[in-house]
Amino acid sequence: PDTAFGAAFGIRNSSVPHDGHGFGPRLGLLWDGGPAHAWSGSLALGRYFGQLNPARFAEAVLNDGGVTVQRGVGSFATWPAAPDSATAPYFARRFTLFTPGGYRDPRTFKADVQITHTVSGLHLQVLAGYHHTDFLPRVTDLNLAAAPSGTTQEGRAVYGTLVQQGGLLVAMPGSNRRLPGYDLVSAIASTGFSNYYQAGFGLSRETARGLSFSAEYLWSRTRDNWLQSWNGDPADLLSPFPQDRPGHEWVEGISDFDVPHRVTVLATWRAGGKTPVSVGARYRFRSGFPFTPGFPAGVDANGDGSSANDPAFVDPSIPGITPLLNTHPCLRDQTGRFAARNSCREAGNHALDVNLTLGLPFHSLGGRLELRLDVFNLATTATGVVDRALVLVDPAGSVTTDSQGNITLPLVANPDFGKLLARRTPPRIVRFGLQLAY
């Protein structure tokens, strides 16, 4: 416990998260019938409990007042050594805490149904499901300025005084803080939720010789209000619009984990004889991951301390944005407003795998010895880190603020929006193996 912190914020920083609720009833029904038991079905209902994320707990243990943040704006000649107090004069303590009485372990309700039918060697499977998770941990900043200092030409609320350094934009250290001497104060509360829907089917045929195949398709949809930090910065977990009313928050939308379509098609041809041969190919497809049109790293448009959570305002008057509106349908549908969360999507990923199996004529081992060759990602779509910055801060311009607090940002469109910043294409893998098949 930190008494000075408790007196300043009226809340304990030493609350240890605990949840004694753990009653998880589950019900399963199985049905098998029809001629030759050709039909079967299952229904599963249940409530499942997660656990405290150890990373969140470790963050709270670390940021208990013993961590001091030093900030400055300008050039740091001693980099990578820490700057001196003249260059970076801002010093403040950072805290992460669990809201007392506000923590619950994540809880998920699952309902899944599956029906299978077999006819003439063909197996048809249909499935559907719904999963609702609540009590997911979300973060708010207790030390963000109580009210915005102004608004941009887009209508974006700004906290603190924005300072431009070329193409970078940050809040003047300390200007966006409610209480001096304290930096980011992350309060974790179990107010997040996620809704997941799925439906799919599969068709397969398995034979000892000849052609075997399977085809599967899964549609899913995930919606939540649960922001993620992909680089570990707790500031990225903050909502870019902290004044949103509950139930009408910008963060409620397409989840970072939403992958609507998945397809797998597998075909294998087997020949008999003393040295049987098997040749197979597998095609895989998944939808691209969603992302929010925003700003590049180093641009904190609302001054809340994070340069990764601000959506862009889709303004047709921004220089250079017209070609992007013509080539990205996700932008055309949002002109004149802030981009919705995860409203754009990367290109889908296609991949092809092949394999060859050759039986060797050794039967003394009680089975069949096989030589196997697998090639994964023989052909695949180029994937990687996508440039999510729709607009940039023009280094040739400057931020201006009038007497009413109206802030004008010098913005230009990013011609590389949606393109790959860094390739992360899965590697082609060739694998040789010797296996004993019974």
Side-chain angles (χ1 to χ4, degrees):
D2 188 290
T3 55
F5 177 88
F9 289 91
I11 188 174
R12 292 186 295 114
N13 71 302
S14 56
S15 177
V16 177
H18 174 72
D19 185 5
H21 305 80
F23 179 64
R26 301 173 191 180
L27 172 67
L29 299 176
L30 300 176
W31 172 77
D32 183 41
H37 300 278
W39 289 90
S40 64
S42 66
L43 172 66
L45 304 173
R47 186 167 66 177
Y48 303 81
F49 286 89
Q51 296 178 336
L52 169 66
N53 186 339
R56 299 280 76 81
F57 187 71
E59 179 187 335
V61 171
L62 176 66
N63 296 325
D64 64 348
V67 173
T68 299
V69 175
Q70 182 182 7
R71 297 184 186 272
V73 177
S75 299
F76 305 102
T78 60
W79 178 262
D84 56 29
S85 58
T87 309
Y90 173 84
F91 290 85
R93 295 195 297 165
R94 172 172 287 186
F95 282 83
T96 297
L97 56 96
F98 290 87
T99 305
Y103 175 80
R104 293 284 304 274
D105 283 334
R107 179 185 64 182
T108 300
F109 168 79
K110 295 183 180 182
D112 295 288
V113 61
Q114 178 176 295
I115 299 175
T116 303
H117 181 53
T118 303
V119 55
S120 301
L122 290 175
H123 301 275
L124 175 64
Q125 182 183 73
V126 179
L127 61 88
Y130 167 69
H131 302 168
H132 172 76
T133 302
D134 49 17
F135 302 134
L136 292 170
R138 294 205 301 167
V139 175
T140 56
D141 183 6
L142 300 183
N143 200 35
L144 187 66
S149 57
T151 57
T152 66
Q153 72 267 33
E154 314 156 310
R156 187 193 313 269
V158 176
Y159 298 83
T161 303
L162 294 180
V163 180
Q164 181 184 357
Q165 289 281 104
L168 307 181
L169 190 68
V170 297
M172 178 64 70
S175 66
N176 58 351
R177 294 303 165 198
R178 183 166 65 93
L179 297 179
Y182 297 94
D183 195 68
L184 173 66
V185 177
S186 300
I188 302 175
S190 301
T191 58
F193 72 87
S194 171
N195 286 311
Y196 172 78
Y197 309 84
Q198 68 173 5
F201 69 88
L203 181 66
S204 64
R205 182 176 183 269
E206 185 76 19
T207 61
R209 294 185 181 182
L211 180 65
S212 298
F213 68 88
S214 68
E216 297 178 341
Y217 168 76
L218 181 68
W219 171 88
S220 65
R221 175 178 177 177
T222 310
R223 299 294 185 272
D224 62 26
N225 64 348
W226 193 34
L227 295 180
Q228 304 298 313
S229 175
W230 300 111
N231 60 11
D233 187 351
D236 297 345
L237 300 172
L238 302 174
S239 169
F241 302 104
Q243 293 183 319
D244 282 353
R245 294 181 293 112
H248 298 82
E249 297 178 286
W250 174 89
V251 298
E252 294 186 15
I254 299 174
S255 171
D256 294 348
F257 304 105
D258 183 64
V259 181
H261 305 287
R262 294 181 178 90
V263 176
T264 302
V265 178
L266 172 66
T268 304
W269 179 81
R270 296 184 179 90
K274 294 183 178 181
T275 56
V277 178
S278 173
V279 180
R282 179 177 61 181
Y283 166 76
R284 296 174 282 123
F285 169 80
R286 65 158 175 81
S287 300
F289 295 114
F291 65 92
T292 303
F295 296 88
V299 175
D300 184 7
N302 70 342
D304 66 349
S306 171
S307 64
N309 67 345
D310 294 314
F313 188 89
V314 187
D315 185 355
S317 65
I318 294 178
I321 204 170
T322 300
L324 298 178
L325 297 178
N326 294 333
T327 56
H328 294 81
C330 64
L331 300 177
R332 291 199 299 268
D333 299 336
Q334 305 185 84
T335 55
R337 59 188 175 92
F338 288 105
R341 180 185 170 211
N342 286 329
S343 51
C344 291
R345 192 173 292 275
E346 302 171 3
N349 179 255
H350 303 262
L352 178 66
D353 310 322
V354 297
N355 68 76
L356 171 66
T357 302
L358 176 64
L360 302 178
F362 296 100
H363 299 281
S364 59
L365 296 176
R368 184 171 67 249
L369 194 62
E370 296 177 340
L371 183 64
R372 184 179 180 93
L373 169 65
D374 295 290
V375 182
F376 300 97
N377 299 314
L378 176 65
T380 184
T381 306
T383 60
V385 180
V386 171
D387 193 341
R388 305 182 177 193
L390 175 62
V391 292
L392 311 173
V393 174
D394 186 0
S398 60
V399 177
T400 60
T401 306
D402 63 18
S403 58
Q404 284 75 41
N406 298 311
I407 304 167
T408 301
L409 305 179
L411 301 178
V412 293
N414 176 21
D416 295 326
F417 171 75
K419 299 179 181 179
L420 290 180
L421 282 172
R423 295 175 68 91
R424 298 289 187 270
T425 303
R428 182 176 295 114
I429 300 174
V430 179
R431 183 176 68 181
F432 296 92
L434 194 64
Q435 67 183 22
L436 184 62
Y438 291 91

